[in-house]
C-alpha cells in the first residue's frame, strides 16, 4: 500500500511539473498482469488460468512467444460490464496525457497457448472489439487522454480500420520499415527508431539481437540464422540509402546514422516522435528481450550514464538540437 501511495504521489507530481512546462506525460499500458498478482487472485472468474498469452511465429521469433500471463475471459469480462477494464484504463489515464496501449490487436483477438503446449500450438481467442473500443474511447474522453495503439507484428486489417475510425494513433518504427521516406509517414502515427521490445540502434546495426535469438534457440542454427543475417544486411543498406548516406554499413560512424535517422523522423508528418534514451549514447544491450523471463535481466539493467551525465553531454545536446531544428 505504501509503494502504491508513493507511486501515485510521484506520478501526480511528474504530471504537474510536465504540464506546467508545456510537456505531455506519456505512459504505457501493459497487455497483462503477473499470473500470481493481486488482480488475478481478486478477479479469478475474469481470467482464463489454463491459458497463457503470447504471439504466433513471425520473422523475429520463429518459435513463437509465450509471455506467461493469463488472458481475460471475453464472456465473463463482458458479463461484469467491463468494470475491470475501465478501472485499469482509469488508473493510468488519470496521470497520462498520452497512453500507449501495448499490443492493440488484443481489442480484437489474443493468441493464447494452452497449459503444457508450445507457442507453436496456440489459437486465437476473440473479443467483442466494438465494445472494447467503446470502453477505451469513453475513458479517454472522461480523462482527456490521447490514445496510441502499438500496432506492430501480425495486424489484421480491421484493427487499422478501427484505429482510424476512433482517431487512435498507430506506430511507425524505422527498424521495421527501414526504407520508408519521411514524407511517406502518416500524420496519425508516433514515429521512433525502435521500441522497448526491440534492439537498440547499435544492437540492430551489429545484429546482436539475431545472435541473441540464436543463443536462446528462438531461431535455428542453419537456414534461419543465415537468412536473418542476409535480410539484416539488406535492411541496413536500405536504411543508408533512405538517409542519403553513401557509405558502407560496416564502416559508417553510427552517430551519423543516429542523428540522420532521428532528424528524418522529426521532419516527417508524424504527430509525435519517441526517442530511446539509450540510443543517444549508442547502447548495444536492450532493456527487454521478448519471450524471456529468467534468461535475460529484463527491466533490471541500469543505464550506462547517470542523469547528471546525460544532462551535461555535449554529444546528446547536439543530437537533440538537430531534432528541435
Amino acid at each position: 500500500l505504501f509503494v502504491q501511495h508513493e507511486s501515485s504521489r510521484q506520478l501526480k507530481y511528474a504530471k504537474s511539473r510536465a504540464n506546467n512546462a508545456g510537456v505531455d506525460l506519456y505512459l504505457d499500458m501493459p497487455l497483462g498482469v503477473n499470473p500470481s498478482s493481486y488482480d488475478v487472485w481478486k478477479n479469478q472468474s475474469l481470467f482464463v488460468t489454463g491459458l497463457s498469452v503470447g504471439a504466433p511465429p513471425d520473422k523475429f521469433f520463429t518459435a513463437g512467444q509465450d509471455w506467461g500471463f493469463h488472458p481475460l475471459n471475453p464472456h465473463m469480462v463482458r458479463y461484469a460490464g467491463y468494470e475491470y477494464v475501465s478501472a485499469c484504463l482509469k488508473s493510468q489515464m488519470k496521470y497520462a496525457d498520452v497512453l500507449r496501449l501495448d499490443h492493440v490487436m488484443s481489442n480484437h483477438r489474443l493468441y493464447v497457448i494452452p497449459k503444457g503446449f508450445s507457442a507453436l500450438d496456440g489459437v486465437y481467442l476473440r473479443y467483442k472489439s466494438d465494445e472494447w473500443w467503446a470502453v477505451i474511447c469513453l475513458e479517454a474522453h472522461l480523462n482527456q487522454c490521447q490514445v496510441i495503439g502499438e500496432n506492430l507484428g501480425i495486424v489484421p486489417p480491421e484493427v487499422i480500420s478501427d484505429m482510424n475510425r476512433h482517431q487512435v494513433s498507430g506506430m511507425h518504427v524505422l527498424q521495421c520499415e527501414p526504407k520508408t521516406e519521411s514524407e511517406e509517414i502518416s500524420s496519425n502515427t508516433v514515429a521512433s527508431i525502435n521500441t522497448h521490445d526491440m534492439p537498440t540502434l547499435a544492437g540492430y546495426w551489429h545484429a546482436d539481437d539475431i545472435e541473441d535469438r540464436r543463443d536462446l534457440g528462438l531461431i535455428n542454427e542453419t537456414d534461419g540464422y543465415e537468412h536473418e543475417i542476409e535480410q539484416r544486411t539488406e535492411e541496413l543498406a536500405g536504411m543508408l540509402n533512405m538517409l542519403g548516406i553513401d557509405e558502407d554499413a560496416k564502416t559508417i560512424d553510427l552517430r551519423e546514422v543516429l542523428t540522420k535517422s532521428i532528424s528524418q523522423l522529426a521532419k516527417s508528418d508524424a504527430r509525435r516522435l519517441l526517442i530511446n534514451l539509450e540510443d543517444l549514447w549508442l547502447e548495444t544491450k536492450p532493456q527487454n528481450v521478448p519471450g524471456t523471463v529468467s534468461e535475460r535481466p529484463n527491466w533490471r539493467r541500469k543505464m550506462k550514464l547517470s542523469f547528471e551525465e546525460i544532462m551535461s553531454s555535449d554529444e546528446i545536446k547536439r543530437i537533440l538540437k538537430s531534432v528541435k531544428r
Side-chain angles (χ1 to χ4, degrees):
L1 283 174
F2 173 72
V3 172
Q4 289 191 40
H5 169 75
E6 267 303 289
S7 298
S8 175
R9 185 185 68 79
Q10 292 182 30
L11 280 166
K12 285 177 183 175
Y13 178 70
K15 179 179 173 65
S16 174
R17 284 289 301 271
N19 291 169
N20 288 340
V23 175
D24 288 339
L25 186 61
Y26 176 108
L27 296 181
D28 192 272
M29 179 88 170
L31 179 59
V33 294
N34 190 300
S36 302
S37 67
Y38 171 83
D39 287 44
V40 177
W41 180 252
K42 182 176 184 292
N43 304 285
Q44 293 180 43
S45 65
L46 298 184
F47 290 87
V48 188
T49 56
L51 300 174
S52 63
V53 179
D58 58 25
K59 71 173 186 174
F60 290 108
F61 296 91
T62 53
Q65 298 177 64
D66 185 340
W67 298 329
F69 56 84
H70 305 310
L72 287 168
N73 184 317
H75 303 295
M76 294 306 295
V77 78
R78 185 173 191 256
Y79 180 76
Y82 293 95
E83 288 183 7
Y84 175 72
V85 178
S86 293
C88 290
L89 289 164
K90 194 174 295 171
S91 70
Q92 295 257 50
M93 288 180 171
K94 66 182 177 183
Y95 308 113
D97 299 296
V98 184
L99 183 64
R100 171 191 178 272
L101 302 180
D102 187 34
H103 196 77
V104 75
M105 292 78 79
S106 64
N107 293 347
H108 296 250
R109 67 184 192 186
L110 274 177
Y111 186 77
V112 295
I113 303 142
K115 190 177 292 184
F117 286 75
S118 80
L120 294 170
D121 301 313
V123 294
Y124 280 108
L125 182 63
R126 299 187 182 276
Y127 296 84
K128 289 192 175 293
S129 58
D130 54 341
E131 296 176 0
W132 278 78
W133 282 115
V135 173
I136 290 167
C137 290
L138 179 61
E139 289 300 335
H141 174 70
L142 292 173
N143 292 280
Q144 291 299 289
C145 178
Q146 184 195 337
V147 177
I148 293 165
E150 189 253 319
N151 56 336
L152 306 174
I154 299 172
V155 187
E158 60 268 22
V159 174
I160 302 300
S161 175
D162 277 359
M163 289 176 67
N164 291 334
R165 185 158 63 95
H166 294 297
Q167 298 180 36
V168 172
S169 298
M171 303 195 73
H172 177 94
V173 179
L174 187 62
Q175 285 176 194
C176 293
E177 304 178 65
K179 299 179 183 178
T180 306
E181 299 284 350
S182 60
E183 58 265 22
E184 297 172 7
I185 299 174
S186 166
S187 59
N188 192 34
T189 56
V190 175
S192 63
I193 292 178
N194 44 40
T195 74
H196 59 248
D197 289 328
M198 298 173 69
T200 62
L201 177 63
Y204 171 80
W205 207 265
H206 300 305
D208 292 349
D209 58 309
I210 299 176
E211 299 289 349
D212 198 28
R213 280 186 280 128
R214 180 174 67 166
D215 292 343
L216 289 165
L218 298 172
I219 52 177
N220 62 47
E221 184 71 31
T222 53
D223 300 340
Y225 174 75
E226 294 299 331
H227 174 71
E228 293 269 340
I229 293 295
E230 288 175 13
Q231 190 172 29
R232 182 60 53 83
T233 302
E234 292 177 8
E235 289 172 358
L236 299 185
M239 186 183 292
L240 289 174
N241 181 60
M242 183 269 291
L243 295 172
I245 301 175
D246 187 21
E247 290 186 51
D248 188 272
K250 294 180 180 178
T251 57
I252 183 72
D253 184 346
L254 261 185
R255 286 173 296 185
E256 182 184 359
V257 176
L258 172 67
T259 305
K260 289 201 172 184
S261 295
I262 297 177
S263 298
Q264 186 91 313
L265 294 173
K267 281 189 283 190
S268 75
D269 290 334
R271 183 179 297 180
R272 295 180 187 273
L273 170 66
L274 293 181
I275 298 173
N276 179 350
L277 200 61
E278 292 188 304
D279 274 339
L280 296 177
W281 55 84
L282 298 175
E283 175 62 59
T284 57
K285 296 178 181 176
Q287 279 289 356
N288 182 48
V289 179
T292 64
V293 181
S294 58
E295 298 93 336
R296 296 293 180 269
N298 296 330
W299 308 117
R300 299 196 300 275
R301 179 179 56 75
K302 288 187 176 182
M303 290 196 300
K304 180 180 177 181
L305 302 184
S306 67
F307 181 71
E308 289 75 18
E309 288 173 317
I310 293 169
M311 295 297 286
S312 62
S313 168
D314 290 335
E315 178 64 16
I316 291 175
K317 288 178 183 176
R318 181 188 66 79
I319 295 170
L320 294 180
K321 282 179 180 177
S322 73
V323 173
K324 187 175 181 182
R325 285 196 299 272

